[in-house]
Amino acid sequence: MQHSRGFPGKWLLPALLLALLAVACSRASPEQAVRAQVAALQAAIDARDAGEVEALLAADFVGNDGIDRRGAKQLAAAVFLRHRDVAAKLGPVSVELRGETDAIAKFSVLATGGSGGLLPEQGQVYQFQTGWRLVDGEWKLLNASWTPNILP
């Protein structure tokens, strides 16, 4: 039985195109990247890591009542000191892209805190609207506003 030898490049071009397509598809879309940063923010809060919270914020971050990046880190650190157990459970996240470098993400958060008992001593649901900006290839939290849900 004789094996035919075809042109060695006959399979090279399709294989190369498939590899390039796989690399291109493996990059997260901007929406997926923003969602991942929202999840990273939740993880930083769950880990009680004020430094990691700050790392996700843009240098010119602004929050409620004009809180800046440093103030947001201090607020996170104070909450972590006050409550041994802190958790942030996110509701569904909606992401709206505004061009190639800006996005708005909206979501609800159930924030709980306590001294380590079985049930949290405090809890509140908040509605968040956050603005994100692509900075040096990474999405950073540019601004955030939050309001507590008031139950009837």
Side-chain angles (χ1 to χ4, degrees):
M1 186 160 146
Q2 191 176 23
H3 295 283
S4 72
R5 292 186 188 197
F7 175 66
K10 172 168 107 174
W11 298 105
L12 182 60
L13 184 57
L16 185 57
L17 288 174
L18 283 174
L20 288 173
L21 182 61
V23 169
C25 291
S26 68
R27 281 191 224 125
S29 72
E31 181 180 341
Q32 290 169 325
V34 170
R35 288 177 187 280
Q37 290 298 83
V38 171
L41 185 58
Q42 178 186 2
I45 292 168
D46 289 346
R48 304 168 47 86
D49 189 339
E52 188 58 31
V53 169
E54 180 185 36
L56 293 164
L57 306 180
D60 54 347
F61 169 82
V62 177
N64 277 15
D65 299 323
I67 192 170
D68 64 3
R69 185 174 193 238
R70 182 173 172 222
K73 179 184 179 184
Q74 291 172 338
L75 176 62
V79 169
F80 299 153
L81 284 173
R82 183 171 178 198
H83 301 286
R84 194 171 90 195
D85 287 336
V86 173
K89 303 298 179 212
L90 271 63
V93 178
S94 69
V95 176
E96 176 187 335
L97 297 176
R98 302 231 169 138
E100 294 183 18
T101 60
D102 293 294
I104 302 291
K106 297 177 184 179
F107 48 90
S108 60
V109 173
L110 170 60
T112 60
S115 60
L118 184 58
L119 296 174
E121 295 163 5
Q122 295 182 357
Q124 177 69 52
V125 176
Y126 294 90
Q127 295 302 317
F128 274 78
Q129 179 167 317
T130 58
W132 296 82
R133 179 191 311 143
L134 190 60
V135 178
D136 297 328
E138 186 176 11
W139 287 93
K140 296 286 187 173
L141 183 56
L142 178 62
N143 57 62
S145 62
W146 55 93
T147 56
N149 272 12
I150 308 297
L151 298 176

